[in-house]
Amino acid sequence: MHDREDEEVTAFVRARYGSLLRTAFLLCGDRGKAEDLVQTTLAKTVVAWSRLQRSEGVDHYVRRVLVNTFVTWRRRRSWWEQPLGRLVETQARDEYVGVEQRDLLRRALDGLPARQRAAVVLRFYEDLSEQDTALVMGCSVGTVKSLSSRGLRTLRQQWVEADAVADQEVRYA
């Protein structure tokens, strides 16, 4: 790599690291894994940097590498290590409801299959169009629609179930 390319890569990383980390966190549900995912993605991007600069497709390439690496990691057996259970909250809702809701969403996202999760995060967090999401994921627009639809249906069901459990806990507290 030349000095000019080093400066370009450094500027790209500074500009996009926060956004990549947030997307990776939504995919992984764990900050440490998200940081590892972004680091791996950026390492792969640096290797292909000169080729990417000619095609001007750096953002799409980085997102695609991020999603593909996440899906690959998710397939590994060690990824599936899960906590044994969920602690039941006995207190009534308070000013931390937003924190609880974000945690519920994170856990619900964590329960989705990798490709559904990627489609939901890219479409509704990254705000990519169906076409751009299909390009990043390397699939058809119809597949993106199907994955997004199934993922959102599952998230809605989990949200309703969690809300019912929370209401029941409040009644018996």
Side-chain angles (χ1 to χ4, degrees), residues 71-83:
V71 169
T72 300
W73 284 5
R74 188 79 183 249
R75 288 181 184 142
R76 292 182 184 158
R77 184 176 300 278
S78 63
W79 179 274
W80 295 102
E81 295 174 5
Q82 296 291 327

Side-chain angles (χ1 to χ4, degrees), residues 123-159:
R123 285 283 294 128
F124 302 104
Y125 177 76
E126 284 286 325
D127 201 26
L128 295 182
S129 68
E130 291 168 342
Q131 293 79 13
D132 287 341
T133 302
L135 182 65
V136 169
M137 292 182 68
C139 62
S140 70
V141 172
T143 301
V144 169
K145 289 179 181 181
S146 175
L147 290 169
S148 298
S149 174
R150 281 185 266 150
L152 289 174
R153 184 179 331 116
T154 302
L155 290 175
R156 278 188 209 103
Q157 288 171 346
Q158 290 180 0
W159 195 271

Side-chain angles (χ1 to χ4, degrees), residues 42-75:
L42 292 174
K44 291 177 180 180
T45 302
V46 167
V47 171
W49 188 261
S50 59
R51 183 187 53 178
L52 294 172
Q53 288 302 98
R54 288 191 299 270
S55 70
E56 296 185 24
V58 177
D59 282 330
H60 282 295
Y61 177 85
V62 170
R63 283 192 189 110
R64 187 168 190 161
V65 169
L66 187 77
V67 168
N68 288 347
T69 303
F70 164 72
V71 169
T72 300
W73 284 5
R74 188 79 183 249
R75 288 181 184 142

Side-chain angles (χ1 to χ4, degrees), residues 97-138:
V97 169
V99 174
E100 292 171 0
Q101 289 176 339
R102 284 191 301 276
D103 183 56
L104 174 63
L105 179 59
R106 184 197 56 76
R107 283 187 278 116
L109 277 171
D110 198 38
L112 291 178
R115 289 179 51 81
Q116 282 182 19
R117 184 176 183 159
V120 168
V121 168
L122 291 172
R123 285 283 294 128
F124 302 104
Y125 177 76
E126 284 286 325
D127 201 26
L128 295 182
S129 68
E130 291 168 342
Q131 293 79 13
D132 287 341
T133 302
L135 182 65
V136 169
M137 292 182 68

